[in-house]
Amino acid sequence: MYIPKAFHVDDVNELMTFIRNHSFGIMVSQTEEEPFATHLPFLLDEQKGENGVLISHLARANPHWQGLQDQKVLVVFQGPHAYISPTWYDEPRTVPTWNYVAVHVYGTFRQIQDKHKVKEWIEKTVNVYEQTMNPPWEAVFDEPFMEGLLNGIVAFEIEVERMEGKWKLNQNHPIERQERVVKKLKSINEPNAQKMAELMEKEIEKRNK
């Protein structure tokens, strides 16, 4: 990922927190003919491996997993993003841009064959995403259920080898311009715009320290 110095984030804790908060990613690999991408939810285990691992599963009918064992993959996690109009700067000779936050994870794909490990991670995945539900779904992970599940999915982990973080928040502009952009974003009744304004305010606070 192209990351100008002003937008570069390399704090491991910050990157991992971002992944946990924006856990629906895109796994990309290269086949013999063309790139292949699958959209998946991921769990992050910071305690496993040298740099942590990403765990997920995909439908067995999805051919993406075939031939992927021990291959390098890229997983893209994207956060808030928003179009920035040059009119917001109140200055001439400025151009449009797009602010966004993203993390790229590079690692090695390894299928999880152990049924007990698959069960453990499926249960953890359910618990993570059901914890805000009322009432939460409670699956009975007995032998018949697991057999049916294993026939339908392929569980895998990606050993993290490298992470890249890009926080593009107008840091290459004077603070006064950033503040004008924040004001405009706050006036837009849209979740991405509101979240982007919040992130930019935090960035302005850092620059003012």
Side-chain angles (χ1 to χ4, degrees):
M1 176 164 55
Y2 168 61
I3 312 177
K5 186 177 180 180
F7 308 146
H8 183 232
V9 173
D10 59 4
D11 182 278
V12 174
N13 290 329
E14 188 169 3
L15 297 179
M16 287 186 169
T17 297
F18 178 89
I19 291 171
R20 284 192 295 270
N21 292 335
H22 302 86
S23 59
F24 193 71
I26 305 172
M27 181 175 70
V28 183
S29 68
Q30 180 66 42
T31 69
E32 292 183 0
E33 298 179 352
E34 60 186 354
F36 200 122
T38 300
H39 300 249
L40 298 165
F42 287 87
L43 294 186
L44 174 64
D45 184 352
E46 306 100 305
Q47 307 304 318
K48 191 173 181 181
E50 191 172 327
N51 303 298
V53 297
L54 294 172
I55 294 98
S56 188
H57 63 277
L58 42 67
R60 191 170 291 275
N62 182 344
H64 197 175
W65 64 275
Q66 297 179 12
L68 204 55
Q69 183 72 4
D70 296 324
Q71 298 299 308
K72 303 293 184 182
V73 296
L74 162 67
V75 182
V76 178
F77 297 96
Q78 183 169 309
H81 58 92
Y83 173 75
I84 308 300
S85 171
T87 63
W88 298 355
Y89 299 135
D90 289 333
E91 295 180 26
R93 299 185 181 279
T94 54
V95 296
T97 192
W98 207 288
N99 282 1
Y100 62 92
V101 182
V103 172
H104 285 192
V105 177
Y106 303 85
T108 302
F109 179 101
R110 293 196 175 92
Q111 188 176 341
I112 302 174
Q113 304 278 9
D114 186 291
K115 290 184 179 181
H116 297 292
K117 288 185 178 179
V118 174
K119 178 183 177 183
E120 176 187 349
W121 282 108
I122 292 297
E123 287 179 327
K124 286 185 177 180
T125 301
V126 169
N127 290 336
V128 166
Y129 293 106
E130 284 287 327
Q131 61 184 336
T132 59
M133 301 295 106
N134 186 22
W137 176 63
E138 296 182 6
V140 179
F141 290 94
D142 55 20
E143 192 67 24
F145 182 87
M146 285 304 300
E147 284 299 322
L149 193 63
L150 291 172
N151 287 332
I153 68 169
V154 172
F156 65 91
E157 64 181 24
I158 297 170
E159 185 176 348
V160 177
E161 296 168 8
R162 180 162 58 96
M163 293 190 292
E164 296 176 328
K166 185 172 183 179
W167 269 235
K168 186 175 180 295
L169 307 172
N170 282 121
Q171 299 98 317
N172 55 330
H173 289 261
I175 288 180
E176 293 75 16
R177 287 186 188 174
Q178 281 186 295
E179 291 174 336
R180 293 185 193 117
V181 170
V182 169
K183 184 177 180 180
K184 289 293 186 178
L185 287 170
K186 284 185 171 182
S187 69
I188 300 173
N189 186 25
E190 194 274 326
N192 271 308
Q194 295 297 316
K195 188 61 180 178
M196 180 55 61
E198 180 182 327
L199 290 173
M200 289 186 66
E201 283 186 318
K202 290 180 180 177
E203 184 62 31
I204 291 170
E205 288 178 9
K206 290 181 185 178
R207 294 182 68 179
N208 281 327
K209 287 183 178 179

